[in-house]
Amino acid sequence: MHGSDEVIAALFILAGSIIVFVSAIGIIRLPDVYTRSHAASKSSTLGVLSTLVGTLLYFLISEGYFSIRLIMGIFFVFLTAPVAAHLIARSAYRNEVPLTENSIEDELKKYYFENELSKK
Amino acid sequence: MTFEIIMIVSLCFLTLSILANIYRVVKGPSSADRIQALDAIGINLIASIAVFSVLLHTHAFFDLILLIGILSFVGTVAFSRFTERGMVIKQKDEG
């Protein structure tokens, strides 16, 4: 209907939603809160950024409308999603949520308990 | 016509991922799982609003993308501070 100039926007949006779906499969299937945080933060952020870039390209190509608010949204999501994942993982570790059974080594545990003992 | 079909297919993918996150909110064994899944639901809502604004040919919802991003981040920080220290805003020490 529109011709071939919106193919790249459709490609970005479809790729982003597929990446988000893969991230959701990771959220269901992974065994641990930390590995689920790994799946949820990285790939979900990448998929949402790809979708927003596709939206920006669609409005830029079809209407010539360049949205600075969408640029700000992209920048804000890119900046704050890893910080939120870091805060959640740190609060989970301090509440002693257990790691999965087949994890080999916990280097933070020794450091953390030494600091706790020196604090008291 | 093909473009609308692609948009609807990507909305279906986003809906399935939100349903997976709701499963994790219901089932998740610790509270950090639930906070993580709610944060991911907020992120997926941003992408859904972007696809909807492409599908409806309007750019009236771009404020909403920025607003949901900011609110999701502030809510996640407040919840993780609450589960970490038992309070959200630190009171002033008396003595």
Side-chain angles (χ1 to χ4, degrees):
Chain A
M1 187 168 77
H2 287 295
S4 66
D5 50 351
E6 291 163 350
V7 174
I8 181 162
L11 210 64
F12 266 107
I13 291 176
L14 190 63
S17 61
I18 288 174
I19 292 170
V20 169
F21 182 63
V22 170
S23 147
I25 293 174
I27 286 173
I28 284 185
R29 283 183 58 90
L30 286 173
D32 190 6
V33 59
Y34 308 103
T35 51
R36 279 196 288 265
S37 166
H38 181 89
S41 69
K42 288 182 180 59
S43 51
S44 182
T45 306
L46 178 65
V48 171
L49 287 188
S50 174
T51 307
L52 291 179
V53 166
T55 308
L56 184 76
L57 286 178
Y58 174 76
F59 281 104
L60 191 61
I61 289 170
S62 72
E63 298 181 11
Y65 177 75
F66 185 75
S67 170
I68 194 69
R69 284 172 286 179
L70 208 48
I71 292 285
M72 280 180 65
I74 291 171
F75 186 70
F76 195 79
V77 171
F78 181 64
L79 209 63
T80 60
V83 179
H86 168 76
L87 286 176
I88 293 165
R90 192 180 65 174
S91 78
Y93 194 82
R94 289 195 178 170
N95 283 325
E96 296 166 354
V97 176
L99 275 71
T100 177
E101 289 89 5
N102 54 3
S103 63
I104 300 173
E105 191 175 6
D106 190 4
E107 286 188 350
L108 185 57
K109 192 171 188 176
K110 198 170 60 181
Y111 179 76
Y112 178 68
F113 280 111
E114 278 177 0
N115 270 0
E116 283 294 307
L117 288 181
S118 68
K119 196 185 296 178
K120 284 174 185 174
Chain B
M1 192 60 200
T2 315
F3 190 73
E4 276 88 6
I5 290 174
I6 292 174
M7 287 304 113
I8 290 170
V9 166
S10 50
L11 271 182
C12 291
F13 276 126
L14 289 171
T15 310
L16 284 177
S17 61
I18 287 178
L19 284 178
N21 281 317
I22 287 173
Y23 168 76
R24 185 50 69 193
V25 170
V26 172
K27 190 179 173 294
S30 70
S31 68
D33 290 308
R34 298 189 170 96
I35 301 169
Q36 178 75 57
L38 286 173
D39 185 53
I41 284 176
I43 296 286
N44 290 345
L45 269 180
I46 292 173
S48 304
I49 289 170
V51 179
F52 260 113
S53 66
V54 169
L55 198 57
L56 299 177
H57 298 288
T58 177
H59 40 78
F61 300 142
F62 289 166
D63 293 331
L64 221 58
I65 291 174
L66 199 54
L67 186 69
I68 291 180
I70 292 170
L71 283 182
S72 168
F73 177 63
V74 171
T76 305
V77 170
F79 264 121
S80 59
R81 278 181 75 93
F82 178 69
T83 57
E84 188 173 339
R85 311 179 182 174
M87 58 185 140
V88 179
I89 299 172
K90 188 179 180 184
Q91 303 289 326
K92 188 180 289 183
D93 291 333
E94 293 179 357

